[in-house]
Amino acid sequence: EDKVVQSPLSLVVHEGDTVTLNCSYEVTNFRSLLWYKQEKKAPTFLFMLTSSGIEKKSGRLSSILDKKELFSILNITATQTGDSAVYLCAVVTQGGSEKLVFGKGTKLTVNP
Amino acid sequence: DVKVTQSSRYLVKRTGEKVFLECVQDMDHENMFWYRQDPGLGLRLIYFSYDVKMKEKGDIPEGYSVSREKKERFSLILESASTNQTSMYLCASSFGAQPQHFGDGTRLSIL
């Protein structure tokens, strides 16, 4: 059975801290890995990773994939209260359909 | 920007009722998905569709059905609502291998 595991499940930090969120996976026929941010409503897309070792970056957020060790990390530097959210990791498997297998998410709280 | 619209943000229904949740996307995406999101369980796929009139079961299809008569609209149906179907329901759409875009969700309570 395909599985995606995120850690930690929750994290509380102070503004300005740097955080690293982890996502490991065991799936058949890996295709890509996605990160989403979910505040009160819809998950919003952050990154899609398909190749090992290539860092994706957007402002203070960055992410990288290791297909040999089957994990990805999401880094947030100089955190702000607006970064408080649930961060979701999901894996797309090959096979004709575009199903996502989600982890349970990491709830990040950034205190002023 | 892709827009995925779910018809209701909050819905309260009674046990045994037939419930319809509607989802519309405006980007001509062929793939559409229904998830439910529960604390401690994350997002779980109920059904998905990759074309009009096509549907496939996800991981937890029991108690649900879907309808896709038009490309832009994907409906989730609870045939006879039960209290264990109280949840947040999220609809998503995508084009090919591109990332899925989500609606704002419907928080459904079954009393």
Side-chain angles (χ1 to χ4, degrees):
Chain A
E1 186 184 331
D2 295 336
K3 193 163 67 169
V4 176
V5 178
Q6 291 185 246
S7 64
L9 290 181
S10 67
L11 190 55
V12 180
V13 300
H14 291 289
E15 264 192 320
D17 287 351
T18 292
V19 297
T20 298
L21 309 184
N22 303 292
C23 176
S24 64
Y25 60 90
E26 288 178 35
V27 300
T28 51
N29 301 317
F30 174 90
R31 184 171 187 165
S32 60
L33 184 145
L34 293 87
W35 284 97
Y36 287 86
K37 176 184 181 182
Q38 186 178 23
E39 295 173 268
K40 299 254 189 265
K41 302 180 186 176
T44 53
F45 169 72
L46 295 174
F47 298 113
M48 182 165 75
L49 303 154
T50 54
S51 302
S52 274
I54 298 174
E55 186 183 49
K56 294 270 180 111
K57 203 166 165 62
S58 176
R60 296 175 294 102
L61 277 67
S62 64
S63 184
I64 198 160
L65 174 67
D66 185 329
K67 287 167 76 173
K68 185 178 174 189
E69 300 296 330
L70 309 183
F71 77 91
S72 173
I73 59 172
L74 175 69
N75 275 325
I76 308 174
T77 59
T79 51
Q80 302 171 356
T81 55
D83 295 326
S84 295
V86 175
Y87 290 84
L88 299 168
C89 172
V91 171
V92 183
T93 59
Q94 292 178 338
S97 63
E98 304 303 326
K99 288 171 56 176
L100 290 178
V101 180
F102 278 89
K104 291 184 170 50
T106 293
K107 182 177 180 181
L108 174 65
T109 303
V110 182
N111 289 325
Chain B
D1 253 5
V2 176
K3 184 75 175 168
V4 179
T5 303
Q6 295 184 229
S7 52
S8 306
R9 287 281 287 138
Y10 301 94
L11 205 52
V12 180
K13 295 291 182 182
R14 296 212 171 271
T15 305
E17 280 193 71
K18 189 168 186 176
V19 181
F20 293 85
L21 301 184
E22 305 288 345
C23 176
V24 177
Q25 49 94 4
D26 66 356
M27 284 302 290
D28 204 36
H29 286 171
E30 71 266 21
N31 302 319
M32 295 189 76
F33 307 83
W34 275 107
Y35 297 88
R36 62 178 284 177
Q37 186 174 30
D38 300 287
L41 296 176
L43 273 83
R44 294 178 292 166
L45 182 64
I46 304 171
Y47 267 97
F48 64 102
S49 168
Y50 50 87
D51 204 348
V52 176
K53 296 195 187 294
M54 306 298 283
K55 62 183 178 184
E56 295 233 3
K57 292 180 180 179
D59 300 316
I60 50 164
E62 296 79 19
Y64 303 94
S65 62
V66 290
S67 171
R68 191 153 181 216
E69 296 297 317
K70 293 185 178 180
K71 192 173 186 181
E72 67 270 19
R73 185 179 297 269
F74 193 35
S75 303
L76 179 70
I77 304 151
L78 285 65
E79 297 291 344
S80 176
S82 64
T83 53
N84 62 12
Q85 293 178 308
T86 291
S87 187
M88 168 70 92
Y89 289 87
L90 289 163
C91 174
S93 72
S94 70
F95 177 73
Q98 295 304 306
Q100 292 180 19
H101 295 266
F102 285 83
D104 284 342
T106 295
R107 192 165 291 281
L108 175 65
S109 296
I110 307 295
L111 304 179

